Structure formats: structure tokens, C-alpha cells
């Protein structure tokens, strides 16, 4: 800077202008496609039109100080296009579909995966048909319909929604983005492990703490780190600590080998709706990889989840929804129980934040309640089914 | 990909693992600091701990097709940390403060700038003291307080909030992030012009369409493009089209030279709260740069704003708040009035989306209503003032 001038009352800083002041070379593009040699797509140009992944690994100085954990990092997946890590899976499934000419994608979801699918399909110019439980939150429904998705609410809950979505995919030839059904969702989410490794200057952390609902986020991390070992680029994997809400903790109970009571399998009772899954799609795989890697499964209270949200916001400047903040709640438990040491390199995976549908959100014209595939077919034949 | 295996019931794709499968070199870091030779900070390491800027320029294929505009682009500023372009100004003001050892930042705001300041201050470990009108929306207040900010509501509205924030900055030696007060806000926001130019392969667009409230976003774009010309890297600047809501359009009326009626200066009446400013801080500068660049000012209806939000979501997969989507509403007006040609290279600046405070949002313990500086001082002496 060399001086300042006045422009219509506005102070205007000045420099010694020359081409040398501008950056050289192309701006870096740090996205999940950087790892395409380890993704199941050919090496030609990517069709998916929105950058996904390449999210920051934040040092969070104030949080480090508060916790006395100088090597703590936050992998901030809220910086993805629909503000959650679900965007990675959506992008890879749609990329594959664009190459094969499939024009519809379907998934069942507790919320975020459906929102990510709605926005991803809109960006790519294909149709999204989403199946959610009738107790899916209205603000998440509004996001889906605003992005032009057809949403079906299923009275029998999330598990029934998954079955119906998968049956529709088989019957109508749609892309099946359901967690546990399509291995591409794991492939996409494993890129988080590659990014963390690169962002730590090609080292793996000691511990990574991860919210667990259906399981793919954690299982995919394990696969990513295993592939780094397989490539000869790392010698070991981090310990993975999976976190569930105390009020919906099927995998923590299975891990401990003690039966879960009804109060521990109550998805409606926790604010962590994004990980509140009674029958996790790939729960066995979660238990398997956590066990093999010397990790652990922990449950956290509602208060701990709320505190984690507030602490991430005011100590790290990271906005997260309760499920997205679960890793921080789990970290405190891990420190208390000696599962992690404050001097270790620990990465918290913050999986998502909540966004709002802009403007009026009460025009849910494309939501229908269904029970079977025949109703789905009838509703799709009618361009605007009644809600 | 070379095969697949089964892991505890989960399909597991496999590759011929070798180091050659992994990307080479450091992942690119595309942030606003890339342009630091044109920013008023020294060339040593950046202190601000969160990446800002480097937002995508999206081709939006479905939107291009719908509008018959094959060279239309969306500069998606919703991908910043607090989901708006305000994060750029916050980052540069705080970066400067960290270098000078200032531990408090203040701003007045209609909402987004205060939210960005709250999150940015939390990330950097400094205090935010924010001044808003008493009619600031509760959900935006919740975001500010969740990030640990001290918020003062000012009964006499936004203009009075600006005066009080600036007086507090002078009196207490705080960083003054107020729009129009600190030239660093313009410096930060001009990096959008540099990014667009680089993302268009070192070309300037023909037209750039921009929501206008106080004015810095548009004025900063003009400065950025002017500096590219000044550096000898571009031969001309794009035409800038500023967009305001019909119900709060002081600068459109001033541009047309016709007096604004009360219905055209009613910020509470428009859903575009982010640009609803009755007395724009640097309005003269806006009119000056738009005029010099052959641009235009246009007003858009509430329906056009709502439609723009929905169209961005379902045709481009971009979530925006009404003020953030105003550029698309303005584009339609510009096409209708022949201010832009569909075959030109047109960039829409989507300035922000709304995020939600996670978890409980009713604990607004740090909000106080004030009228003067003495009340501010008393409230700050009391760690948790009553609301």
C-alpha cells in the first residue's frame, strides 16, 4: 500500500500497480476430485458442476488453549456446498450417473443426505426423489422442496423409507444413493482421510473422532487411511472413536455387549437427529473397523451435545448442528476416560451445520405421504401431488 | 478400481495400490490471501486461522439453459465460513487487529456482517461487540450470541447503531469494522474481482450484477477491476449493475433522479433484509462508480426476489437468502430492459445464505438494549447483562 485517496467520500487505498502484484499461475483447486485415481470414475473431465470437498483443517487456537490440546484440529465439513459431508457422496453418485445418462437419483435420509441430494441434483440438472420419515423436520423438508426435489414421507419411519427408496431405484432404474447400498458413498467419503493426511503434511493423526449414525462416515475414513497404508504412503492408521447420542446409541451398546434399553434407542428424543438411527445400515462394519484399529465407541448426553455446539461456535468460530458437533462432545469423554491424550494429534470431524431455506418456506407443494411403490408411481405421474 | 470385497456386509471397492495413485504436491490453497500484494498487510504469515474467499465461480448449466444465457456464471459467496461475503471484510480487519494486538472488534449491521464478525472474532480468539437495530431478527441474534458476541440492540435503528458502534470504537480503541468507516472492508471485498478474473482465465466479464445495501460490495468490485487495469492485466472494467429491493431503493431513486416515496424506503417491508438500508453508508461512491463504468441501478419486486431464491436453489443448487439472490432477480430485469445481452459473459454475485444456530436458540443472555455509550460501558462491566 502506498497511499490513500477520496472517492465520493469513501477512503480508497492505493498501491504501486504492476503485473507483479498479482498472484501467478492458476488458483489451486482443492476438491475431492484431486483423489480421482482412488475413485471409481475414469480420468476424463469431471461433469459435476460444483466443487465439493477440499474443506479446511482448522487449528482452532482458542479451543486448543481451553482444552490444553495443542495438536487438536477441526476438519470442517460444514464448508461443503449444502454444509455437510453428505455432499461428497452425492457428488460421486451423480458424477457416475451423469456419465451413464441416468436422470434421477433417490435416497432415504434422516435429513442432511436428502438435502445434499436435492441441491446436488439441482446443480447437475437431474431429478431427486427423496424418502423421509413423516417426522422429518419441516425446515429440512423446505430445503428439499425449494431445490425442486420430489419428497415422499413414509409413515413407518426411516427404515421403511430406505426400503421404499431402494425398491424404487431397482424398479425405475434410478441412481441409488442410499447409505450402505451404494459403495460409491464410501468411496466419496474416504477422501476426507486423504485430505486430513495431506493437510497434516502427509502424516496421519493419532486419533480421529467421528459422529456415527448409519456408519459410512466412519467406515469410509477407515478405508481412506487403510488405502494410504496400501499405497505405501502411511505406516499405520489413526484410532477411530465413534460418537453416538446417549438417547440413540445402538452401536455403543453393541460395542459394550450390553443390551440397549428403549431410552437408548429413541431417535426422537435427541437433538442429534443427523445421527439418530436405530438400525444403522452398516453397523457391523463400524464395529469391525473400530475394533481392528484400536478405537472406541462412546455415547454423549444431550447437555454435552448442546455444549459442544456452543463451544465450537464461540471458541472456534465453527457453526455446527448438534450431530455435527458430536465429535467435540466425544472428545471430552475420550479425555476423561483416557481414550485419547491431550498431547496427541487429534482431529474432530465436524460433519454439518444447518442452513435455512431462503424466503417463504411454507410452499411444500411437492411433498406426499406414501406407503408403497404404487403410490410413488401415481404421485410421480401427477406433476404436483397434493401434500 | 480393480475389484470389490465384502467387509462385514459392506461392499468395499479395491484398487492396485501404489504411491502413484495419490495426488502430488501440496493441495492448492485458494483464499483471499492469494492477493496479499494488493492488500494492506505485510507479506509475513497470515494470523487469521480460517480460510476465507476462494469461492467457486459456478457454470450453472441448468440455469444457463433456462435463461438462454450460455456465458452466465454464479460467484457463490455463500461458501465463505459464515456463508456470506461479509467474511472477507471481517477477516482482513481482524488480521490487521491481530498484528496490532487489538482484542475487540465492533460493527453495526443489519445482520450478516454482525454474524460474520461474531464467528470471525471467535475463530481468532478476540471479543466481538455488535450493534444492531431492535428489529434485527431473533435467529440472527441467536447466531451472534452463540458465537459468544456481546450484542447491543439500539432502539433508534440501524443508523443509530452505526453511530454508537463507531463512537465505541473511538472511545475504547476497538477495531472499527463498520462499512464505509474502515477502508479495509473495501480492500477485502475487492478480492472477489480478482478471483472472478482469474476464474475466467484472466478475463473480465462483460457485466457483473450485485446486490446493493450500504454499497461496499459494489464499490469494492469496481476497485478490484480498476486495480487489474492499473496493474496492466486488463484493458477495461465490466459494467456493474446494482440491485436493490423495490421497497427499499434509495440508490435506484437517486440514480434515476426521482424522489423516493415512503413505500420505497421501507426496510421492514422487504424480505431482502440484508440490503434494506435507508441511508447507504457510501451511496455517493456507488452512484459514482456505476456511472463511470456504464452500469445501471435496478429495483426488483418481492415476488422477483422470492422467485430468484427458488430458481437459484432448483436450477443451480445454490441456497441463498433473498438479499443474496437479488442479483438473479436483477438479471431478469436487465435482460428485459436490454441492459445486458444473454450472449454476454455475465457474473451474478450471490452474496449470502442463511445458516441456523444449532441446538437451543433461546438463551440470548448477552443481548442488551442500549441508547448511549454510558450504557454500553456499564453493560460491558457486567459480565452477563440482563436482556
Amino acid at each position: 500500500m502506498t497511499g490513500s485517496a477520496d472517492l465520493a467520500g469513501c477512503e480508497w487505498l492505493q498501491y504501486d500497480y504492476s503485473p507483479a502484484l498479482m498472484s501467478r499461475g492458476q488458483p489451486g483447486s482443492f476438491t475431492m476430485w484431486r483423489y480421482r485415481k482412488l475413485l471409481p470414475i475414469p480420468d476424463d473431465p469431471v461433469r459435476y458442476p460444483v466443487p465439493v470437498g477440499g474443506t479446511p483443517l482448522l487449528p482452532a487456537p482458542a479451543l486448543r488453549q481451553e482444552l490444553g490440546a495443542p495438536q487438536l484440529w477441526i476438519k470442517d465439513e460444514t464448508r461443503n456446498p449444502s454444509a455437510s459431508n453428505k455432499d461428497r457422496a452425492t457428488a460421486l453418485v451423480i458424477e457416475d450417473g451423469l456419465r451413464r445418462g441416468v436422470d434421477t437419483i433417490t435416497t432415504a435420509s434422516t435429513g442432511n443426505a436428502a438435502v445434499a441430494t436435492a441441491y446436488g441434483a439441482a446443480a447437475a440438472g437431474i431429478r431427486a426423489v427423496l424418502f423421509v420419515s413423516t417426522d422429518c423436520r419441516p425446515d429440512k423438508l423446505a430445503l428439499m422442496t425449494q431445490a425442486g426435489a420430489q419428497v415422499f414421507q413414509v409413515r413407518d419411519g426411516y427404515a421403511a423409507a430406505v426400503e421404499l427408496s431402494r425398491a424404487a431405484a431397482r424398479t425405475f432404474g434410478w441412481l441409488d444413493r442410499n447409505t450402505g447400498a451404494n459403495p460409491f458413498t464410501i468411496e466419496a467419503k474416504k477422501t476426507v482421510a486423504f485430505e486430513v493426511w495431506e493437510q497434516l503434511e502427509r502424516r496421519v493423526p493419532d486419533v480421529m473422532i467421528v459422529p456415527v449414525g448409519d456408519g459410512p462416515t466412519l467406515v469410509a475414513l477407515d478405508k481412506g487411511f487403510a488405502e494410504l497404508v496400501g499405497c505405501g504412503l502411511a505406516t499405520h492408521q489413526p484410532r477411530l472413536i465413534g460418537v453416538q447420542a446417549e438417547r440413540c446409541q445402538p452401536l455403543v451398546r453393541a460395542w459394550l455387549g450390553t443390551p440397549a434399553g428403549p431410552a437408548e434407542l429413541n431417535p426422537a428424543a435427541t437433538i442429534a437427529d443427523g445421527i439418530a438411527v436405530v438400525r444403522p445400515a452398516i453397523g457391523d462394519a463400524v464395529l469391525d473397523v473400530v475394533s481392528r484399529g484400536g478405537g472406541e465407541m462412546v455415547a454423549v448426553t444431550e447437555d454435552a451435545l448442546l455444549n459442544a455446539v456452543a463451544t465450537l461456535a464461540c471458541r472456534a468460530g465453527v457453526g455446527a448442528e448438534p450431530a455435527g458437533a458430536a465429535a467435540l462432545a466425544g472428545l471430552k469423554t475420550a479425555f476423561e476416560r483416557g481414550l485419547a491424550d491431550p498431547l496427541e494429534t487429534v482431529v474432530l470431524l465436524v460433519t454439518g451445520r444447518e442452513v435455512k431455506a431462503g424466503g417463504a418456506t411454507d410452499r411444500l407443494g411437492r411433498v406426499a405421504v406414501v406407503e408403497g411403490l404404487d403410490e410413488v408411481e401415481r404421485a410421480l405421474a401427477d406433476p404436483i401431488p397434493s401434500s
Side-chain angles (χ1 to χ4, degrees), chain A:
Chain A
M1 192 179 66
T2 58
S4 87
D6 181 88
L7 170 86
C10 178
E11 190 182 350
W12 205 248
L13 303 187
Q14 294 179 307
Y15 304 77
D16 272 333
Y17 296 111
S18 83
L21 295 194
M22 182 47 62
S23 59
R24 289 171 182 278
Q26 281 300 298
S29 68
F30 182 24
T31 72
M32 59 180 270
W33 309 116
R34 173 171 175 83
Y35 308 105
R36 55 192 308 174
K37 286 182 187 161
L38 284 161
L39 291 174
I41 50 167
D43 209 18
D44 52 347
V46 170
R47 273 82 161 166
Y48 194 72
V50 178
V52 177
T55 58
L57 186 71
L58 302 173
L63 185 61
R64 285 179 171 186
Q65 194 168 10
E66 175 163 317
L67 297 172
Q71 300 301 321
L72 182 66
W73 299 87
I74 293 170
K75 179 65 172 169
D76 184 7
E77 286 286 283
T78 72
R79 297 287 290 275
N80 278 305
S82 83
S84 93
N85 67 333
K86 312 286 184 183
D87 288 316
R88 295 183 192 256
T90 300
L92 185 60
V93 171
I94 291 180
E95 175 67 23
D96 171 59
L98 292 173
R99 288 160 184 269
R100 295 192 288 113
V102 183
D103 67 357
T104 301
I105 182 171
T106 185
T107 194
S109 166
T110 57
N112 283 352
V115 170
T117 303
Y119 277 84
I126 71 172
R127 179 172 69 164
V129 182
L130 307 172
F131 293 83
V132 299
S133 160
T134 38
D135 56 18
C136 180
R137 289 181 17 212
D139 49 352
K140 295 208 169 176
L141 282 181
L143 283 163
M144 299 171 207
T145 53
Q146 191 163 64
Q150 168 71 56
V151 183
F152 291 114
Q153 291 187 294
V154 182
R155 270 202 200 85
D156 293 338
Y158 176 56
V162 173
E163 272 175 44
L164 205 49
S165 171
R166 300 204 57 190
R170 280 191 304 272
T171 306
F172 305 124
W174 297 341
L175 291 170
D176 183 346
R177 188 221 173 280
N178 281 288
T179 285
N182 189 336
F184 281 37
T185 62
I186 302 279
E187 295 305 292
K189 286 181 165 184
K190 78 183 180 188
T191 57
V192 173
F194 302 157
E195 290 179 10
V196 166
W197 172 78
E198 285 211 284
Q199 289 169 317
L200 290 175
E201 297 179 341
R202 299 198 155 213
R203 286 183 306 113
V204 297
D206 298 307
V207 180
M208 195 147 174
I209 308 188
V210 190
V212 177
D214 267 314
T217 296
L218 184 143
V219 168
L221 275 175
D222 176 73
K223 185 167 197 272
F225 287 116
E227 290 187 344
L228 288 170
V229 174
C231 285
L233 293 165
T235 55
H236 66 286
Q237 294 187 224
R239 309 193 309 278
L240 299 179
I241 298 180
V243 185
Q244 297 204 294
E246 212 174 58
R247 294 184 180 172
C248 190
Q249 50 164 314
L251 293 177
V252 177
R253 283 291 147 199
W255 173 258
L256 298 173
T258 54
E264 294 163 338
L265 292 173
N266 189 355
T270 176
I271 52 171
D273 58 306
I275 52 170
V277 180
V278 174
R279 280 172 286 174
I282 56 170
D284 290 346
V286 170
L287 299 175
D288 187 52
V289 303
V290 169
S291 162
R292 277 193 289 108
E296 189 70 42
M297 295 292 302
V298 300
V300 295
T301 64
E302 296 297 296
D303 268 355
L305 288 163
L306 272 178
N307 283 335
V309 169
T311 303
L312 278 177
C314 72
R315 290 286 175 265
V318 172
E321 62 181 355
L328 176 57
L331 174 72
K332 293 187 177 173
T333 302
F335 281 165
E336 283 160 18
R337 291 175 44 193
L339 304 174
D341 186 285
L343 298 180
E344 288 186 302
T345 298
V346 178
V347 176
L348 304 179
L349 187 70
V350 175
T351 46
R353 82 189 301 175
E354 286 186 86
V355 291
K356 290 179 73 168
T361 59
D362 52 357
R363 296 185 296 182
L364 304 181
R366 297 201 201 183
V367 178
V369 177
V370 293
E371 283 182 4
L373 212 52
D374 49 338
E375 289 166 288
V376 170
E377 201 159 8
R378 275 201 301 276
L380 289 175
D382 172 10
I384 303 186
S386 59
S387 60

